[in-house]
Amino acid sequence: MPQGSLEVFLASAKGLEDTDFLFKMDPYVILTCRTQEQKSSVASGSEPVWNENFIFNVSEGAEELKLKIMDSDIGNDDFVGEAEICLKSVLREGRIPPTAYNIVKNKEFCGEIKVGLTFNPESYQTTNVNQMFTIAQERSSRDYDDRDEYSRGWKESSHSDRDRTSRRDDSPRGRRHSPERERDYRGRDSDEDRRRGGRRRHSSDED
């Protein structure tokens, strides 16, 4: 028997026997494939619509899918009926579109339930996983290359800015003096002005 995953599309049901006398029934479905069990949401009325998907792992011994329809009530839920779907056809063909299956209770017909089936072999799943892993690696590699290119561009830009700043500081226009050196220059200018003024007064006295 092939192994893989079974996708179950629970569409709807009709003709269900209403077990509630005063209110509408609230049906839900328990899906069972060997030891795996899943439960649908609770719908309303004797012609419920679910449109829900379920996935089961298929391995050796999985020959049928069981659908148990229950009516949700306060306290104990009521059994409405059940259907059994043989899996040989979907395992062979790969897909069965939504099809109506008989619901039986005490060997009597009590409605229909519509279900679609899709089987994905294990090799198909492995191929998909490998493809996803390869795509993730390629994306990671591209992201690393982009970050590396950005880093190189940033470093080159930083070096260029430092070179321009260094050349500007070395130029005569770019040189700056400290406040102490500026005060020294101003002091020297004042001393020179006083000496010049003294020479001018001395000359005038001699005349």
Side-chain angles (χ1 to χ4, degrees):
M1 174 178 288
Q3 299 182 3
S5 66
L6 177 67
E7 297 181 16
V8 181
F9 173 62
L10 178 62
S12 59
K14 66 178 182 179
L16 301 182
E17 181 184 357
D18 197 339
T19 57
D20 289 337
F21 297 102
L22 300 177
F23 306 99
K24 287 184 178 181
M25 66 185 306
D26 303 306
Y28 65 90
V29 181
I30 299 175
L31 303 90
T32 305
C33 184
R34 291 197 68 188
T35 59
Q36 304 169 74
E37 183 175 286
Q38 300 189 51
K39 179 181 174 181
S40 75
S41 62
V42 177
S44 177
S46 59
E47 295 189 357
V49 177
W50 291 284
N51 290 333
E52 295 178 3
N53 291 284
F54 306 88
I55 297 179
F56 294 90
N57 293 322
V58 176
S59 58
E60 292 292 336
E63 297 180 353
E64 63 183 8
L65 175 69
K66 295 183 179 181
L67 308 173
K68 187 177 181 180
I69 298 89
M70 302 292 293
D71 181 16
S72 178
D73 281 330
I74 298 175
N76 296 325
D77 295 344
D78 297 321
F79 174 67
V80 178
E82 61 185 354
E84 295 182 357
I85 303 175
C86 181
L87 300 179
K88 290 183 179 179
S89 296
V90 69
L91 296 179
R92 181 178 62 253
E93 299 174 9
R95 182 177 182 275
I96 296 179
T99 304
Y101 299 90
N102 291 340
I103 299 174
V104 178
K105 180 180 180 181
N106 297 327
K107 298 182 180 182
E108 294 184 1
F109 173 82
C110 58
E112 293 180 344
I113 187 166
K114 185 174 287 187
V115 177
L117 302 173
T118 302
F119 174 66
N120 297 316
E122 191 174 26
S123 59
Y124 172 83
Q125 291 178 306
T126 303
T127 300
N128 280 354
V129 171
N130 290 337
Q131 289 176 347
M132 293 173 63
F133 181 73
T134 301
I135 293 173
Q137 282 186 321
E138 292 176 352
R139 289 179 177 175
S140 177
S141 178
R142 286 197 300 269
D143 292 343
Y144 178 81
D145 292 339
D146 292 342
R147 290 194 298 269
D148 190 49
E149 184 67 25
Y150 174 80
S151 178
R152 287 199 299 270
W154 183 83
K155 290 179 180 178
E156 292 174 359
S157 176
S158 299
H159 288 317
S160 299
D161 292 341
R162 285 199 295 270
D163 291 342
R164 286 195 296 269
T165 302
S166 177
R167 287 196 297 271
R168 184 166 59 248
D169 291 343
D170 291 340
S171 65
R173 183 180 300 177
R175 295 195 186 97
R176 297 181 179 179
H177 301 297
S178 64
E180 292 79 2
R181 184 171 296 181
E182 290 290 343
R183 287 196 294 270
D184 291 343
Y185 289 154
R186 288 196 294 270
R188 292 174 186 175
D189 293 341
S190 299
D191 294 341
E192 185 65 25
D193 291 340
R194 284 195 295 272
R195 285 196 294 271
R196 289 177 182 174
R199 285 197 295 272
R200 284 197 296 270
R201 285 195 299 271
H202 180 71
S203 298
S204 60
D205 293 339
E206 291 177 351
D207 293 340

